[in-house]
Amino acid sequence: MTVINIRNNSIQISPPPGRRPYPPSGLEAPTGRKPACKPYGLEAGSETGPSFHKEGRPINCFSSFCKGGGRGIWGIVLSNFYFRSLKAAATTLCSMLFALCFFSLVAREAPAAGLNVQNSKPALDASGGGVLLDATPIGHLMYRLNYEFSYARSPLEYGWNGKRSLGVVDNLFYNDLTAGFGLTPSLDAGLSVPYGIVYDYLQTGTDARKTVGGVGDVRLGLRDTLFDRKDVPIRLALAASANFPSGYQSGYLGSGTFEGDLRAISEARAGTYRFIVNLGYLVRGPERMVNVKLDDQIFWGIGSRSSYYDNRLGVEAEIFGSTGAAQPFRDKVLNPIEGDLGVRVAITRGWSVKLGGGGGLTHGIGSPQFRILAGVQYAYPGLRDRDGDGIPDKFDKCPNDPEDIDGFQDNDGCPDPDNDNDGIPDRNDKCPNDPENVNGWQDKDGCPDPEPNAKLIGHVVGEDGKPISALVKLDPSPDSQIRSDANGHFEVNLPFGDYKILLLASGYETVRYKITLKDREVKTLRFVMKESMFLR
């Protein structure tokens, strides 16, 4: 009889008489000396904690990231960067960092006592688009509901020499109800309540198989869209979430500890196609499962979403995974990677259904042989947004033309290529919200200028008193070029202010002057140019 006991969060396997012992590993048996380290904390005289060898490589038994001073340094670095470049959303970021470090502290003080083998958790914005979060906000006071069913085959196994020798969780049925709500035009909140059924799993302490159902870990999160300009096909967002230990631990439905994560999100748009990248860090309590230590994780994902037939049909594809933060990509057991593909069809106003599937691309923990996905989503009808500008069609005066977010009438849903209607496009207008006054003075910069009610009259002559035809450059300058005539005479109307004057003529040295014109002043100047030794 095979007996599996859990002691101090370690799984110990006793083989039946006459049989080769099962490997004490998630997938591979270690070589070298036996693990002799404690699951948590430091031994006396050690700064990094004890270690043991796996396949000839030393494995650290303790991760110190985000512990003690590390938490403060990490928060300070990120918040300093955020305050410098994104002051408008500073409060949101600080809240996210505070929540992450708080849950980091809680997780460290309360080590995990369970393992959640459900890696494919629906995004907290209730978009129904898969695991990855996009950077598109839900919309102010709008909401979405998403139900998703998932079946995973063999998400957790023991192995010997790279081959499956013992299935721990053979069948996992997972139901997830997610709600997303737009708190502001850019800030969203999400809540996920899962319920799972583990069918035919290996019961600890015996060799019996068991079926159990229970609530999974409840998740709560925030997402803030930090950068969203319609003239740039990229959106950027930051999201933070907390996982609460509400799951049934003995049935592999709960981690048994608080978890917190922070992720960066980028989304690129090209017509009806969207490309999404997620990169984040998850803080969780440490746990040792046989010779595998579960601790903080770096998680990532890439995906694409496209829509057809006026958003009635959507296709979603994504690849996502994670790795141990202490030694990234070193232990394949801690590097689950999965790929999923789904199709979404709108069936009526506000309602859509999804069908998809996928499977594990590696043999990491939680990576199934295959996965089947099905779901139903309801979006508040006002959320239908044909032009994808974040303003529901119900409130969009131009539902087929996306709004340009530039701080000018951004709530009407219509693009404003020329906010001030002065005939100069905003992309070339230095003052896009203030109309140009056409008065012959810098009429192409788009900014209103004072009336040119002062006058400068000039006479350009040589040292011999003969008139010179010279090019006259002013800074600031009028729209038209100024040149003295054959008699060396020029005059120009200017607004009052300070000016730099540059006179250029072939065969003469450059002349530079500085003048100040008062309001309604008429100033007459005589400019004398010296002959140059070098021809221009």
Side-chain angles (χ1 to χ4, degrees):
M1 179 180 68
T2 302
V3 180
I4 298 182
N5 296 313
I6 296 183
R7 295 178 181 175
N8 295 328
N9 292 332
S10 297
I11 298 181
Q12 302 172 352
I13 303 178
S14 301
R19 290 189 60 181
R20 186 177 185 179
Y22 290 118
S25 168
L27 285 175
E28 296 291 341
T31 60
R33 59 191 179 89
K34 290 178 61 179
C37 59
K38 298 179 181 179
Y40 319 111
L42 298 173
E43 291 185 339
S46 172
E47 293 184 357
T48 60
S51 63
F52 64 96
H53 286 76
K54 181 178 185 294
E55 299 178 355
R57 301 191 306 271
I59 301 296
N60 198 308
C61 293
F62 181 77
S63 172
S64 61
F65 185 86
C66 210
K67 184 174 178 68
R71 283 190 295 271
I73 294 174
W74 186 28
I76 291 171
V77 170
L78 286 180
S79 60
N80 282 344
F81 168 79
Y82 198 86
F83 275 111
R84 286 198 307 268
S85 58
L86 298 166
K87 294 180 180 179
T91 303
T92 300
L93 175 66
C94 289
S95 300
M96 291 179 176
L97 290 175
F98 175 80
L100 182 63
C101 291
F102 170 76
F103 285 111
S104 168
L105 177 62
V106 173
R108 293 300 178 188
E109 297 300 327
L115 175 64
N116 189 345
V117 295
Q118 174 67 1
N119 290 346
S120 179
K121 300 181 180 69
L124 280 174
D125 63 350
S127 64
V131 173
L132 302 185
L133 271 171
D134 59 28
T136 302
I138 295 176
H140 188 208
L141 300 182
M142 303 298 176
Y143 66 89
R144 293 191 291 226
L145 298 174
N146 181 66
Y147 165 76
E148 184 165 300
F149 166 80
S150 168
Y151 168 73
R153 175 65 178 173
S154 301
L156 182 61
E157 301 173 337
Y158 291 132
W160 182 265
N161 291 332
K163 298 181 180 179
R164 182 182 188 271
S165 65
L166 181 64
V168 180
V169 177
D170 284 344
N171 302 281
L172 174 62
F173 300 87
Y174 211 74
N175 304 271
D176 200 298
L177 181 61
T178 308
F181 183 76
L183 300 175
T184 72
S186 64
L187 181 64
D188 307 326
L191 174 67
S192 171
V193 180
Y195 184 89
I197 300 176
V198 181
Y199 179 79
D200 194 25
Y201 79 95
L202 190 63
Q203 186 178 6
T204 58
T206 70
D207 61 352
R209 316 294 295 189
K210 186 178 180 181
T211 297
V212 69
V215 176
D217 289 342
V218 174
R219 297 179 295 142
L220 178 65
L222 293 173
R223 177 186 62 189
D224 193 10
T225 301
L226 306 176
F227 180 83
D228 185 8
R229 289 178 57 93
K230 297 308 173 184
D231 56 341
V232 179
I234 295 176
R235 288 190 180 108
L236 300 177
L238 190 68
S241 66
N243 298 352
F244 298 90
S246 56
Y248 185 66
Q249 302 170 19
S250 300
Y252 300 99
L253 292 174
S255 61
T257 183
F258 284 99
E259 297 178 345
D261 69 69
L262 182 69
R263 77 175 72 193
I265 307 165
S266 67
E267 175 186 337
R269 307 182 300 277
T272 59
Y273 295 89
R274 294 188 294 159
F275 304 94
I276 302 167
V277 177
N278 284 193
L279 179 63
Y281 191 95
L282 180 140
V283 178
R284 56 157 291 150
E287 178 190 7
R288 178 164 299 283
M289 184 175 182
V290 192
N291 70 326
V292 177
K293 182 176 181 181
L294 305 176
D295 210 328
D296 293 358
Q297 297 176 4
I298 299 171
F299 61 92
W300 57 270
I302 57 175
S304 66
R305 298 174 187 173
S306 56
S307 59
Y308 308 93
Y309 306 110
D310 196 19
N311 289 334
R312 293 183 177 89
L313 175 66
V315 179
E316 305 147 357
E318 56 188 27
I319 298 176
F320 55 92
S322 62
T323 185
Q327 293 181 321
F329 307 107
R330 290 289 298 275
D331 192 340
K332 63 182 180 181
V333 178
L334 300 178
N335 289 280
I337 300 177
E338 183 174 337
D340 292 337
L341 178 67
V343 176
R344 177 170 296 279
V345 179
I347 55 176
T348 185
R349 183 168 175 79
W351 291 91
S352 62
V353 295
K354 173 185 176 179
L355 185 64
L361 304 180
T362 65
H363 295 289
I365 294 176
S367 185
Q369 293 180 4
F370 65 87
R371 188 184 301 275
I372 298 175
L373 299 167
V376 178
Q377 186 206 33
Y378 172 76
Y380 177 64
L383 284 177
R384 189 167 186 263
D385 185 11
R386 280 177 286 176
D387 53 18
D389 59 2
I391 300 176
D393 292 348
K394 181 178 179 180
F395 307 107
D396 198 331
K397 294 181 180 179
C398 304
N400 296 316
D401 300 312
E403 172 68 76
D404 56 335
I405 307 298
D406 56 3
F408 180 80
Q409 296 181 355
D410 291 336
N411 296 323
D412 63 356
C414 292
D416 307 294
D418 184 11
N419 294 350
D420 52 17
N421 296 313
D422 61 0
I424 301 174
D426 291 344
R427 62 178 180 273
N428 301 323
D429 198 328
K430 294 181 180 180
C431 304
N433 296 322
D434 300 311
E436 173 67 78
N437 57 334
V438 180
N439 56 10
W441 177 256
Q442 297 184 347
D443 292 333
K444 297 180 180 179
D445 64 355
C447 293
D449 308 297
E451 291 294 328
N453 51 15
K455 178 178 288 189
L456 172 64
I457 301 175
H459 299 278
V460 185
V461 298
E463 291 181 302
D464 56 3
K466 294 182 179 180
I468 298 175
S469 177
L471 178 63
V472 181
K473 292 186 174 182
L474 296 174
D475 181 19
S477 64
D479 295 331
S480 58
Q481 192 178 70
I482 305 172
R483 178 178 289 275
S484 59
D485 58 20
N487 297 319
H489 175 80
F490 72 89
E491 61 180 65
V492 57
N493 293 325
L494 302 172
F496 65 90
D498 297 326
Y499 293 89
K500 296 179 182 178
I501 303 176
L502 189 71
L503 286 85
L504 302 172
S506 178
Y508 293 89
E509 295 181 359
T510 300
V511 175
R512 292 178 173 86
Y513 280 84
K514 290 183 179 180
I515 64 170
T516 299
L517 288 177
K518 298 179 180 180
D519 189 21
R520 303 183 182 278
E521 179 184 10
V522 178
K523 179 171 289 190
T524 302
L525 297 176
R526 187 171 183 267
F527 302 95
V528 179
M529 303 188 70
K530 297 180 180 180
E531 290 187 5
S532 174
M533 297 177 58
F534 304 95
L535 294 177
R536 294 185 180 276

